[in-house]
Amino acid sequence: MNGYRREKNVSDRKRRHGEQQADIRQPSTTGHRSEELRLVTAPPQQGAFVVFLVYHNMEVIKEAFAKSKAESRVALVTYVTSGYPTVGETPDIMMSMQAGGADIIELGIPIAAHPMTESPTIQQANAKALENGVQLPHILQMVKSARKQGLTVPVLLVGYYNPLHEYPYGEDKLLRDCNAAGVDGLVIVDLPPGDIVRFRDLCKSKGLSYIPLVAPSTPNSHMGMLCNIADSFICIVSRMGVSGTHEKPYGCAEDLLHRVHDCTGNSVPVAVGLGISTRQDLIDIARAAEGVVIGCPIIYLLGNAAPGTGAQKVKEYCLRVAGRTENQIVIPERRKQNNQPMSSTTVYLSYDGAGDTPEGTETATSLRDTNTRVENFNCQYIPRTLKEGLAELENGFQAANADPAFWAEINSYAAYANRPSPLHLAPRLSQFANGARIWLKREDLNHTGSHKINNALGQIILARRLGKTSIIAETGVGQHGVATATLCAQFGMECTIYMGSEDFEREAVAVMHMHILGAVVISVDAEYSGGKGTIRDAVNEAFRVWETELQTTHFVIGSTFGPHPYPTIVRTFQTVIGTETRAQFTAMNSGRLPDAVVACVGGGSNAVGLFYPFLDDSSVALVGVEGRGGCMAGPSDESIDIAHGLPTYLPWDDDKENGKTHSVSAGLDYPGIGPELASWKESGRAMIGPATEAEVLMAFSLLSQREGIIPALESSHAVAGAMRTAKELGPGHNVVVCLSGRGDRDVVAHIVSTLGVDDA
């Protein structure tokens, strides 16, 4: 580098040199934006003199708002998902937005997961963009291409943090590449409060603006921090996703706008993204806001446009919604960065280990290929507003878990829940299996007929401790819904249960039970197709509702899925299964442990509850059994993805789409497993595999006719696995199977017709 040095970070250099800094203002040139330059000098070392020049792009964003204000109108901010509907169309769409009067353009960063707060329209666009192979290097190339075509309006990247985190050589390199490509700022939906200031400062050091998001649930204390760091504008959203809703915007935004304006002293422009789609919506918002963000209508329009017509339709829509004509649109000029003379001594603050320009961006490796291993399954990929609610939940749970009075209250309901549940030998089933002896842990004898009451009891007592007055929950087969509704009745709490529409129809008896118990049961259709919904859709809807009701409502998740701390909470309350099993079995077998413990796996609550107390006993095999086509069906290096806020194993169908499941049992239709089961499977500690429907129905019949016990279809999966394991182990060994639920409802809904039982 001809004697010039490259520094890894600012703090190291400051410690060594005690540098001097100065902010220099470069006068604007007519037709060009003003530039704020940051000059950093350091004492020479071995003859080197270092100069850092950074161009601050937030000035062009400020000028966009100033221009619209001077023209007595609201600034129009338009959104499109990068690479949707095709990669090649995105630069043309950006140019059409500019021609249609957009003052700022937002480019959405597609994410492989389906964030729970996004509208189906945005989720479909994300899925299509990823199918087209879009990653961040491609997005930057799209911006470069549009700039070469004459795009001059500011461009913002909008999305979740995970794709940024995976960028080669880190955040510093990404932000430099963004600046070089012509990006002016970033909107990152899910940055935790502790990282926001750090990331904003990093953006600013690279000449980029970080745009804070404010939602109705944002606390005043947190809002103050967001308003203080805003350097270009603030965006108001109804939920912490990148998309809006179909709510009438102004009524939802009015109070929040006043709060933000009061917080900033009206010194920072505010743009509103609250389901705006029509000219009247824009007029309503313009009464109080400086800008509007429109995304979903544009995505919907592109999705329904004939090939090759999307860009023109976007231009026409922008003109129409803004109430302007083409001859009223004045395209601002933009100084090209490569025309600015730069000192030959210019260097950057980060070391990237490679050249400054990404190579081979057209052939970038897919996200699936670069994310084949997840070292820590127990984490969070969620909107910031949910992080605040989850932080409250985690702190409350940790305090309760350490409080003997909390556990004393739970234990006081042991008789109500019918605990401890029995453990006994199944002699005739063992005889049929012709191998190891099979023992049954009878969670089906609990109050409400399944293991679900263990977790529901703990979470509802925790919710009362946190001062919540309302409970929401998801359910598939209905066992968790019935358990939750039962305990809400016991404690006098409001209860709403979300259920996929397919499950709502096939589990009519469970729905009736929940209604009798006083719960409101809401049927949820599939998000993408509008067809029949399952447990996944119910979870999505419950999360959306919970985000808007965090102050008064607790979401009782029924299994070990969802973002931290939910898997830990559910496992803690379900560990009673394994703890009792261990004590009961050793008492009946002279201190000997079983050779294997077996449980069905949907989300995994009964499995993790049974397995956890045996985790350190290497002599005890942990065996999980899923429905056919479950999340372990595909190769492990292609089946890790994000669902409902955490990384997990997901199934892949023939079209290479993840998250799609179908089981004879509604309770096993969840498209993932909890973090601990995922990590145990990854390490080889647990063996998890599928059972066919034929095996499940055979197990159902055998247990019913040989032991006089009618199991739930979920439990029948475990029975099938236990019989298989017993044959493999052979005589002289012992297998314990968790009978997680009884099959009364399954008899009505499925079994009579499937098995051809004569009801005469």
Side-chain angles (χ1 to χ4, degrees):
M1 293 180 61
N2 300 322
Y4 298 110
R5 58 191 171 82
R6 182 180 287 199
E7 298 290 353
K8 290 188 178 181
N9 56 63
V10 180
S11 59
D12 288 346
R13 185 165 53 80
K14 285 182 177 179
R15 283 193 295 269
R16 286 196 293 269
H17 301 301
E19 68 189 23
Q20 298 174 344
Q21 299 186 30
D23 286 334
I24 300 176
R25 197 76 175 180
Q26 177 174 307
S28 62
T29 304
T30 303
H32 295 74
R33 66 181 183 180
S34 62
E35 297 291 334
E36 182 184 340
L37 305 182
R38 179 167 172 262
L39 172 63
V40 181
T41 64
Q45 181 182 37
Q46 296 179 350
F49 187 81
V50 183
V51 178
F52 300 90
L53 294 175
V54 179
Y55 296 96
H56 284 267
N57 295 10
M58 70 276 295
E59 294 300 313
V60 298
I61 304 174
K62 292 179 182 178
E63 289 178 1
F65 280 95
K67 179 175 178 285
S68 64
K69 182 178 181 181
E71 296 173 359
S72 300
R73 60 178 179 83
V74 69
L76 177 60
V77 183
T78 55
Y79 170 95
V80 66
T81 300
S82 304
Y84 179 80
T86 67
V87 173
E89 288 180 81
T90 298
D92 294 337
I93 292 168
M94 297 170 71
M95 293 299 296
S96 73
M97 288 175 167
Q98 176 174 268
D103 297 285
I104 298 171
I105 294 173
E106 293 184 342
L107 280 184
I109 304 170
I111 186 170
H114 303 301
M116 59 195 72
T117 55
E118 298 305 347
S119 69
T121 301
I122 297 295
Q123 291 186 22
Q124 287 177 325
N126 280 342
K128 180 61 177 175
L130 291 173
E131 181 183 317
N132 294 337
V134 173
Q135 291 189 338
L136 269 168
H138 300 100
I139 298 172
L140 299 184
Q141 190 60 45
M142 294 173 199
V143 178
K144 288 181 182 179
S145 177
R147 292 295 186 206
K148 288 179 181 179
Q149 293 180 42
L151 186 77
T152 63
V153 299
V155 174
L156 312 177
L157 298 189
V158 182
Y160 291 79
Y161 179 70
N162 199 43
L164 277 65
H165 180 68
E166 295 174 345
Y167 192 77
Y169 310 116
E171 292 176 356
D172 190 279
K173 177 72 163 82
L174 168 64
L175 298 180
R176 285 198 282 113
D177 289 343
C178 285
N179 192 310
V183 173
D184 298 291
L186 294 95
V187 183
I188 305 303
V189 172
D190 58 341
L191 277 178
D195 281 346
I196 288 176
V197 173
R198 175 198 64 81
F199 188 77
R200 178 262 191 180
D201 289 346
L202 186 60
C203 287
K204 190 171 184 179
S205 74
K206 300 298 177 288
L208 302 172
S209 177
Y210 170 76
I211 292 86
L213 291 178
V214 174
S217 56
T218 302
N220 286 333
S221 58
H222 186 48
M223 182 183 295
M225 181 269 289
L226 295 175
C227 292
N228 285 335
I229 68 168
D231 53 32
S232 58
F233 75 102
I234 296 169
C235 188
I236 286 179
V237 293
S238 60
R239 294 184 175 127
M240 277 299 183
V242 303
S243 59
T245 69
H246 296 293
E247 301 165 2
K248 280 298 179 184
Y250 185 69
C252 301
E254 184 175 13
D255 178 64
L256 192 53
L257 272 166
H258 291 319
R259 288 172 59 198
V260 173
H261 280 142
D262 288 345
C263 189
T264 64
N266 291 309
S267 62
V268 181
V270 180
V272 177
L274 287 166
I276 298 166
S277 60
T278 68
R279 172 65 181 157
Q280 186 59 51
D281 292 338
L282 186 142
I283 292 171
D284 291 342
I285 287 293
R287 288 184 282 167
E290 289 75 36
V292 297
V293 183
I294 301 180
C296 282
I298 293 174
I299 299 294
Y300 181 82
L301 185 153
L302 289 169
N304 289 276
T309 66
Q312 178 63 27
K313 290 186 177 297
V314 168
K315 173 184 172 181
E316 294 169 355
Y317 171 80
C318 291
L319 289 169
R320 184 168 62 253
V321 76
R324 305 171 75 188
T325 61
E326 285 191 61
N327 59 11
Q328 293 176 309
I329 306 301
V330 178
I331 307 299
E333 295 185 24
R334 181 184 181 96
R335 179 196 54 76
K336 295 182 179 179
Q337 289 189 10
N338 57 8
N339 289 338
Q340 173 68 27
M342 298 289 286
S343 167
S344 62
T345 61
T346 299
V347 296
Y348 290 94
L349 300 181
S350 70
Y351 175 69
D352 55 23
D356 286 10
T357 303
E359 298 292 338
T361 54
E362 293 304 320
T363 58
T365 307
S366 71
L367 284 172
R368 196 177 304 160
D369 293 336
T370 59
N371 189 28
T372 57
R373 289 184 63 83
V374 178
E375 297 298 326
N376 181 9
F377 290 89
N378 202 17
C379 52
Q380 297 175 334
Y381 291 88
I382 54 170
R384 186 165 64 245
T385 46
L386 283 181
K387 285 182 182 287
E388 294 163 358
L390 290 168
E392 177 196 25
L393 178 60
E394 181 177 15
N395 293 334
F397 170 69
Q398 289 176 346
N401 194 28
D403 186 355
F406 174 72
W407 287 103
E409 183 176 4
I410 290 177
N411 292 333
S412 71
Y413 287 90
Y416 179 81
N418 202 28
R419 299 221 68 90
S421 63
L423 174 75
H424 63 80
L425 186 66
R428 298 192 67 230
L429 186 67
S430 301
Q431 183 182 31
F432 182 89
N434 194 27
R437 296 193 300 173
I438 298 175
W439 299 73
L440 305 178
K441 177 58 174 170
R442 299 294 303 279
E443 292 296 294
D444 61 314
L445 296 180
N446 293 344
H447 183 34
T448 74
S450 79
H451 70 293
K452 295 293 186 181
I453 198 167
N454 306 328
N455 169 60
L457 177 63
Q459 286 206 48
I460 290 177
I461 291 177
L462 176 61
R464 294 174 71 231
R465 184 184 176 105
L466 294 175
K468 309 303 180 183
T469 58
S470 178
I471 295 294
I472 61 174
E474 91 300 333
T475 196
V477 72
Q479 290 176 337
H480 176 57
V482 169
T484 302
T486 297
L487 289 163
C488 284
Q490 171 68 211
F491 290 106
M493 303 184 77
E494 296 180 6
C495 182
T496 303
I497 307 295
Y498 294 89
M499 198 170 190
S501 52
E502 180 178 332
D503 301 332
F504 186 90
E505 293 178 1
R506 67 178 175 177
E507 304 295 345
V509 175
V511 173
M512 179 183 67
H513 286 178
M514 288 183 276
H515 281 310
I516 291 172
L517 291 163
V520 175
V521 185
I522 297 177
S523 175
V524 181
D525 286 332
E527 291 184 300
Y528 294 117
S529 64
K532 300 299 183 183
T534 61
I535 181 65
R536 176 175 187 154
D537 305 294
V539 174
N540 286 341
E541 186 61 22
F543 267 117
R544 291 191 185 102
V545 171
W546 186 48
E547 185 190 19
T548 65
E549 300 177 0
L550 292 172
Q551 298 301 315
T552 60
T553 302
H554 175 63
F555 180 10
V556 179
I557 290 182
S559 198
T560 53
F561 54 72
H564 178 76
Y566 271 112
T568 301
I569 291 173
V570 176
R571 183 257 293 159
T572 299
F573 293 139
Q574 291 292 4
T575 300
V576 64
I577 302 172
T579 301
E580 287 181 2
T581 298
R582 186 186 183 94
Q584 292 166 329
F585 188 89
T586 54
M588 290 185 281
N589 290 274
S590 303
R592 178 182 175 182
L593 292 173
D595 299 286
V597 291
V598 184
C600 64
V601 174
S605 59
N606 87 99
V608 76
L610 177 64
F611 294 171
Y612 191 76
F614 295 98
L615 190 61
D616 295 330
D617 300 303
S618 58
S619 64
V620 182
L622 311 180
V623 182
V625 187
E626 326 179 273
R628 195 68 180 174
C631 58
M632 300 302 177
S636 62
D637 64 345
E638 291 188 348
S639 55
I640 296 176
D641 214 323
I642 299 170
H644 296 132
L646 83 163
T648 187
Y649 284 89
L650 294 179
W652 294 85
D653 64 13
D654 293 337
D655 297 323
K656 296 299 181 184
E657 293 188 34
N658 66 10
K660 294 184 176 181
T661 60
H662 179 74
S663 170
V664 66
S665 166
L668 301 187
D669 262 347
Y670 184 73
I673 61 173
E676 288 175 310
L677 283 175
S679 63
W680 299 342
K681 186 268 178 187
E682 180 90 345
S683 68
R685 180 63 185 94
M687 297 173 288
I688 302 177
T692 66
E693 289 191 3
E695 290 174 321
V696 171
L697 294 175
M698 175 63 75
F700 176 92
S701 296
L702 286 171
L703 189 62
S704 299
Q705 296 173 9
R706 287 184 170 268
E707 298 292 347
I709 299 170
I710 301 175
L713 285 174
E714 293 84 0
S715 303
S716 299
H717 286 72
V719 174
M723 293 174 62
R724 186 190 307 157
T725 302
K727 290 178 181 178
E728 292 172 356
L729 290 175
H733 294 86
N734 293 278
V735 176
V736 174
V737 57
C738 181
L739 212 58
S740 58
R742 62 177 183 244
D744 310 37
R745 292 181 292 274
D746 290 326
V747 171
V748 176
H750 309 285
I751 303 301
V752 172
S753 59
T754 302
L755 298 181
V757 177
D758 186 0
D759 59 358

